[in-house]
Amino acid sequence: MSMFLDQVTIDVKAGKGGDGMVAFRREKYVPDGGPAGGDGGRGGDVILVVEEGLRTLMDFRFNRRFRATPGENGMSKGMHGRGAQDTYVKVPPGTTVRDADTGVLIGDLIENGQELRVAKGGRGGRGNIRFASPRNPAPEIAENGEPGQERKIELELKVLADVGLVGFPSVGKSTILSVISSARPKIGAYHFTTLVPNLGMVTTNDSRSFVAADLPGLIEGASQGIGLGTQFLRHIERTRVILHVIDMSGMEGRDPYEDYVAINNELGSHNLRLLERPQIIVANKMDMPESEENLVKFKEQLAKEKEDEFADDLPIFAISAITKQGMDNLLSATADLLETTPEFPLYEEDIEEETVQYGYQSEDPGFTITREPDTTWVLAGEKLEKLFKMTNFDHDETVMRFARQLRAMGVDEALRARGAKDGDIVRIDKYEFEFVE
C-alpha cells in the first residue's frame, strides 16, 4: 500500500539578520576616528515553489524542518555583512498552505513556478555608523540582527484531476481507470480497495487528454468522518466532471438506483457544490446477464424521479470495462464535457480574508508582566523579546538605549504600578536586571 500523503506539517525558520558592528576608524593622523561599524546582512527567507513534476507530499515524510541561513555580521571599515541566500522548498501543484497554529490560509500554490514566502528573514542589525549624530559623533551602539520568522505551516494537497470516478467500492472504478489510462492501480475484489486516489492520464482516440482519478470508494457516512473519512472526499473537490460509476449487474445484491442516490447524498452532504459538477452516469458490467434489465429499470426510476434534485437529463453510458465495450464513446463524451466546463475557482470559504494587524493597538502593550514565587518580575512578549534579542549587551550605550526603549513602551510605569521597588530583580529571557527607581 503506497502512502498517499496529502497533509503534512512542517517547521520553517528564516535566517536571523547579521549583527551590526561597533568599530572605529583607526587612522594615523585622525585622533579618534569616526564610527566605522557596518550593518549586518538580512537573513534568508524560506520560500515554497511549485514544481510541476511532483504529485505527492511524500518528500516531506522524512524532512520536516527547513532553515534558511543567517545574514553575515557587519564588519569594520564600514563594510556591511552580506545578505543570505533564500531557501527554496519544492511543493506539488495544488498545495494549500496554512499557518498550523491559527489555521489561517497563507496561500494556494497552483501554477508551475509560483512562489510563496512563508518565513521572512530578519533584517540586519545596524552598525554604529548609523547611530552617529552631532550630539554623539562616536557612538558605541550597534544592534544585533533581528531574529528570522519561525512558524509551523500545514501543507495540504488536493489532487488536481479533471475527472473523478465516484461510486461504491467494487463497482469497477479501478478497472475502468486501468483500461482507459496508463495507470495500473492495484485492483482487488474487496471493499475499500482504493485508499489512495489513483491518478491516470487519459488520451482519447482524437488525442485529447485529461487526468482522471479513481476516487476512493465512498461509503455512506464518510462525509461525517465515519469510514474512510472526509480526507478522501476532499480529493473530489477540485475535479470538474464526475463519472458516477454504477454496477448494473446488481451482483452484490444491491440496487443500482439506491446506490446512485446514496452516493449523490454523500457528495451533497460533504459539500453541496459537488452536485453542481456535471455528472455522467456510467453503467458498468454490462457484460453480465442481469445488467440489461437492470439498466432499463434504472432509467425508469431516474425518469420517475425527475423532480428529484439529481436527475437533470444526465447522460448514461453503458459500458463494460472488462470487454472495453462502450469505452471510446464514454471518453469522447467526457472530453467534450470538459471543454465546456470551466475550471472551478477556489471556493470563497477556502480563501479566507487575511486579517493583518497594522499600526498601534492600544489594547496590546507589547509585553506582559508576571511575578515568580521568589519575587522576581518576569517580562515577556513578542515585541519586547525582539528588542531584547536585537540589543548588544557588550556596550553600555546600547544597554542604555534598550532601557530607553523599554521606558517608551511603558514597561517602567507598568512595573511601578504593580508595586516594583528599587532593587527588585527583573528578568527577561535568561537575563536579570535590577529595577532602578
Side-chain angles (χ1 to χ4, degrees), residues 409-437:
M409 277 174 74
V411 174
D412 292 23
E413 224 173 295
L415 278 168
R416 223 171 276 128
R418 292 281 298 271
K421 307 262 184 310
D422 208 20
D424 279 0
I425 300 296
V426 177
R427 192 168 82 237
I428 299 179
D429 204 20
K430 300 182 187 63
Y431 288 81
E432 301 196 334
F433 310 88
E434 272 192 17
F435 182 68
V436 184
E437 273 291 351

Side-chain angles (χ1 to χ4, degrees), residues 78-261:
M79 293 198 302
H80 298 321
R82 197 173 294 125
Q85 297 281 316
D86 296 329
T87 296
Y88 286 89
V89 179
K90 293 175 179 168
V91 297
T95 304
T96 307
V97 188
R98 292 183 182 280
D99 184 301
D101 299 321
T102 62
V104 172
L105 185 77
I106 306 169
D108 224 302
L109 295 166
I110 297 167
E111 312 285 317
N112 190 32
Q114 190 181 340
E115 294 184 1
L116 176 68
R117 179 169 73 181
V118 287
K120 185 176 173 355
R123 70 176 174 82
R126 291 172 294 180
N128 68 339
I129 292 182
R130 303 284 178 159
F131 294 98
S133 65
R135 277 211 350 246
N136 185 357
E140 284 205 16
I141 297 184
E143 285 174 323
N144 287 345
E146 177 184 24
Q149 193 182 7
E150 195 170 352
R151 68 202 300 196
K152 266 190 171 21
I153 56 173
E154 188 175 85
L155 305 179
E156 183 174 287
L157 177 65
K158 297 191 180 181
V159 178
L160 293 174
D162 305 300
V163 175
L165 283 75
V166 303
F168 272 92
S170 66
V171 292
K173 300 190 300 293
S174 298
T175 315
I176 292 177
L177 190 66
S178 64
V179 169
I180 61 180
S181 78
S182 50
R184 289 280 169 271
K186 294 190 198 123
I187 299 168
Y190 44 90
H191 293 235
F192 316 128
T193 357
T194 319
L195 289 183
V196 168
N198 283 302
L199 287 175
M201 195 70 189
V202 180
T203 308
T204 59
N205 311 1
D206 53 5
S207 62
R208 291 177 293 171
S209 63
F210 54 86
V211 178
D214 161 14
L215 297 159
L218 303 178
I219 53 167
E220 291 190 63
S223 59
Q224 278 95 57
I226 307 166
L228 296 187
T230 49
Q231 67 207 76
F232 299 107
L233 282 162
R234 280 208 322 262
H235 291 297
I236 308 175
E237 287 187 354
R238 284 187 177 171
T239 54
R240 289 188 285 149
V241 169
I242 289 180
L243 294 187
H244 194 140
V245 184
I246 296 171
D247 171 357
M248 271 301 155
S249 69
M251 272 173 51
E252 300 212 350
R254 295 217 304 270
D255 177 278
Y257 186 71
E258 281 170 17
D259 282 4
Y260 167 71
V261 173

Side-chain angles (χ1 to χ4, degrees), residues 309-417:
E309 57 197 300
F310 313 129
D312 303 327
D313 287 312
L314 290 181
I316 300 182
F317 283 82
I319 66 156
S320 159
I322 301 284
T323 64
K324 302 194 182 170
Q325 138 209 353
M327 291 303 263
D328 290 343
N329 297 345
L330 171 63
L331 296 187
S332 311
T334 306
D336 293 345
L337 193 50
L338 277 173
E339 279 168 18
T340 57
T341 308
E343 298 258 341
F344 282 86
L346 287 170
Y347 311 134
E348 296 70 70
E349 60 262 28
D350 279 355
I351 301 173
E352 294 158 25
E353 280 300 300
E354 294 274 338
T355 47
V356 184
Q357 312 274 302
Y358 291 110
Y360 176 65
Q361 266 145 343
S362 46
E363 59 278 8
D364 177 21
F367 63 90
T368 59
I369 299 178
T370 49
R371 195 159 198 191
E372 302 271 281
D374 65 0
T375 73
T376 305
W377 299 95
V378 180
L379 298 177
E382 205 175 333
K383 187 173 163 191
L384 180 111
E385 284 166 18
K386 189 185 260 186
L387 283 177
F388 174 73
K389 284 183 178 150
M390 292 179 73
T391 301
N392 178 336
F393 287 93
D394 300 342
H395 299 283
D396 292 345
E397 268 186 56
T398 319
V399 177
M400 297 299 288
R401 175 167 175 263
F402 179 60
R404 287 196 301 273
Q405 287 169 324
L406 291 191
R407 197 167 308 133
M409 277 174 74
V411 174
D412 292 23
E413 224 173 295
L415 278 168
R416 223 171 276 128

Side-chain angles (χ1 to χ4, degrees), residues 241-312:
V241 169
I242 289 180
L243 294 187
H244 194 140
V245 184
I246 296 171
D247 171 357
M248 271 301 155
S249 69
M251 272 173 51
E252 300 212 350
R254 295 217 304 270
D255 177 278
Y257 186 71
E258 281 170 17
D259 282 4
Y260 167 71
V261 173
I263 292 285
N264 274 325
N265 286 332
E266 203 50 70
L267 296 180
S269 56
H270 175 58
N271 178 338
L272 285 166
R273 289 214 173 83
L274 291 175
L275 292 175
E276 296 166 14
R277 308 286 147 95
Q279 270 196 28
I280 292 179
I281 296 176
V282 180
N284 190 21
K285 307 200 183 175
M286 291 306 290
D287 50 318
M288 305 298 278
E290 311 282 300
S291 297
E292 284 297 342
E293 349 180 335
N294 286 344
L295 181 57
V296 173
K297 205 164 82 194
F298 180 85
K299 286 180 173 167
E300 283 167 6
Q301 280 170 298
L302 200 58
K304 201 161 64 212
E305 298 289 333
K306 255 300 152 57
E307 9 334 336
D308 181 34
E309 57 197 300
F310 313 129
D312 303 327

